[in-house]
Amino acid sequence: MTAGPAFRPAGLVLAYAVLWTAGLAAAFWVLAVVVLLPALLRARLGAASGALLVVAVALVLSSAVGTAAGYASADRFVGLAANVAVWVALAAMIAVVGTAHPDDLRRLVRAAVTVGVLHSVVAVLAVWLYPTPSPVPLLGAYAGALPPGVAAFTTNDLVVHGWLDGSVLRATGMMGNTTWSGAVSALTLLVLLHPAARSWARLPWRVPAVVACAVSVYLSYSRATQIALVLALLGTALRHVWRAHRAGPAAVVAVCGAFVAGVVGFAPGLVDAVTEVNAARAGSAESRGAIYAATVDRLVGLGVPVLGFGLKPRDDGLVASVATHSTYLGLAFRAGLLGLGALLVCGVALWRACAARSALPRAIVATVAVWAVFEDLDAGHLVPVFLVVALALARLDPPAAPIDKEHDHARHLPHRGPRPRLARPDTAPGPAPRGAGERRHPAPDGARAGRAPAGRAAPGAGPGAPAPARRVLP
């Protein structure tokens, strides 16, 4: 793979900021398909990229079932094409990055961090300056006349007002949705903790970037994102503690015990807080439950859904379309068991490919996997890009060394044998001591063949001594 195609994912990620400024961020994944399709056709597909193409094919085939069920409309097919573009472009990115040069991988990491930090800063400033209108995106004046999927990335309202009875402002930033905003900031924070982020900026500059991402996660008020980030950070910390104390994992057991005790101790208050939030915010857990119930009811009508409906129908009683707010349930509805199984294969392949000395690549994959339980992965935001970034971080890391307890334990034992004596520089070392059954050290310089060592005469050599017999080679 040449350096040119391998560099394109980094350029595409940076192009997202330009597209969003103009109000065209909804076209990001379509542009990615156009740019990366030639590289995808030349690339050798792995398990992850091949599985994502199966997801795309399953969606296209399932659209015939959705058409027969009466779900067909022009905007539904536009939405289907946008979803397919995400899976195909993501497959192309994974295939290209899998063979990219390390310099290209670092460019991709820098590009993702740059856009993620810029988005986090925009989200924080939008809440801080509210109600001052934002001058970008430039097409914000036309957001009301555009379809909902496009208008979400075009509106100048970078905050959502009315959460928790109107007492909180939720930031959307450059991602068009509060939950998508928090997820991109959380994933950017994880990338900033990786050693490869040193190529983006020095530590003093990365600290305010981490703070901006953390504040953006908080201002999103997305509980799914916050829970996924806390679990990822906790898992990463435990991984480092385990590796530091692998000869005696008592520290890890103690940390896990303290965490469980804390959860049990604060469980009643946590349940009360969640109940209060759900009661104050109409359309949180209740709205998701209604969407999930409607999705399952229609999915049951297919019997054994090898293929799904392909299209997402609308229901006037729901706050969003059927088969939304959950990647796994939504994909089972739209692409059937074929598409869902292919997505799971891709997840396992990425998990195995992200095995590295650092725990952060797998932490990023786990964060996306947990977040996808409650949100849509193929809705047009930048969350899928961070799966590619996780793969790049794993390739930049040295591979995780296998743990050999016997040799690892022996390597740290103190040396108890006799200390070697230092030979004087003007004397040659003597022969090594022989143990029982050992043969003598072979004579130097071919003395066993009857020749004298270099610089000395053979014993008995002199005038009249018989010449040594020559060995005749067969």
Side-chain angles (χ1 to χ4, degrees):
M1 187 66 64
T2 60
F7 177 71
R8 287 176 183 171
L12 281 173
V13 174
L14 290 175
Y16 180 88
V18 179
L19 292 174
W20 176 81
T21 302
L24 302 175
F28 170 77
W29 289 103
V30 177
L31 176 64
V33 168
V34 174
V35 173
L36 293 175
L37 186 58
L40 177 63
L41 296 177
R42 295 192 304 266
R44 182 177 180 180
L45 299 180
S49 54
L52 292 177
L53 291 181
V54 172
V55 174
V57 172
L59 283 171
V60 174
L61 295 178
S62 299
S63 62
V65 180
T67 302
Y71 300 155
S73 64
D75 62 329
R76 296 292 88 189
F77 277 106
V78 171
L80 173 64
N83 296 145
V84 170
V86 174
W87 298 116
V88 174
L90 183 59
M93 287 185 179
I94 292 175
V96 169
V97 170
T99 57
H101 190 274
D103 291 340
D104 295 322
L105 299 179
R106 294 185 184 92
R107 292 188 186 99
L108 174 60
V109 173
R110 289 196 297 266
V113 172
T114 299
V115 176
V117 172
L118 180 61
H119 152 71
S120 300
V121 171
V122 169
V124 174
L125 290 178
V127 175
W128 184 32
L129 298 177
Y130 182 85
T132 303
S134 171
V136 289
L138 298 178
L139 296 180
Y142 305 97
L146 297 174
V150 178
F153 296 92
T154 305
T155 177
N156 296 119
D157 297 330
L158 305 183
V159 296
V160 174
H161 191 268
W163 196 79
L164 284 178
D165 289 337
S167 60
V168 173
L169 297 176
R170 302 182 70 189
T172 61
M174 297 166 56
M175 296 300 132
N177 181 279
T178 55
T179 307
W180 305 343
S181 170
V184 170
S185 296
L187 294 169
T188 305
L189 189 152
L190 292 175
V191 177
L192 284 169
L193 299 179
H194 193 274
R198 298 171 184 169
S199 64
W200 180 74
R202 296 173 179 263
L203 181 61
W205 291 103
R206 295 202 308 270
V207 172
V210 169
V211 173
C213 292
V215 174
S216 178
V217 172
Y218 173 78
L219 292 178
S220 71
Y221 291 94
S222 170
R223 286 161 291 168
T225 302
Q226 294 168 357
I227 291 173
L229 178 60
V230 170
L231 292 178
L233 293 175
L234 180 62
T236 303
L238 290 179
R239 166 79 180 275
H240 285 294
V241 172
W242 181 274
R243 294 189 61 190
H245 302 276
R246 57 188 174 188
V252 178
V253 176
V255 172
C256 292
F259 177 74
V260 173
V263 171
V264 173
F266 291 98
L270 182 63
V271 172
D272 293 340
V274 172
T275 303
E276 181 180 357
V277 168
N278 287 332
R281 182 191 175 194
S284 179
E286 292 81 1
S287 63
R288 277 187 169 86
I291 293 173
Y292 299 159
T295 302
V296 172
D297 288 342
R298 302 192 186 205
L299 188 60
V300 169
L302 289 177
V304 181
V306 178
L307 293 176
F309 290 100
L311 307 171
K312 296 181 292 186
R314 296 188 181 277
D315 193 327
D316 294 337
L318 302 177
V319 297
S321 301
V322 176
T324 58
H325 287 78
S326 176
T327 299
Y328 306 111
L329 181 59
L331 198 60
F333 179 90
R334 293 182 289 128
L337 297 179
L338 177 61
L340 179 61
L343 178 63
L344 297 179
V345 170
C346 174
V348 173
L350 286 177
W351 180 263
R352 297 182 61 183
C354 288
R357 190 171 298 276
S358 171
L360 287 169
R362 281 188 167 179
I364 293 173
V365 175
T367 301
V368 176
V370 173
W371 181 85
V373 175
F374 306 101
E375 286 297 330
D376 300 310
L377 191 60
D378 56 353
H381 43 73
L382 287 188
V383 173
V385 169
F386 284 87
L387 293 174
V388 187
V389 174
L391 184 60
L393 294 177
R395 291 197 57 209
L396 291 173
D397 263 359
I403 298 175
D404 189 338
K405 294 184 178 180
E406 179 180 356
H407 292 82
D408 184 74
H409 179 67
R411 185 168 60 249
H412 293 86
L413 288 178
H415 182 73
R416 300 183 181 277
R419 300 181 63 181
R421 293 178 296 176
L422 296 178
R424 293 173 55 187
D426 56 345
T427 59
R434 291 184 293 134
E438 289 187 1
R439 302 177 61 183
R440 284 183 179 272
H441 194 278
D445 296 335
R448 286 186 300 171
R451 298 189 299 273
R456 290 188 294 171
R470 292 185 179 181
R471 183 180 180 186
V472 180
L473 297 176

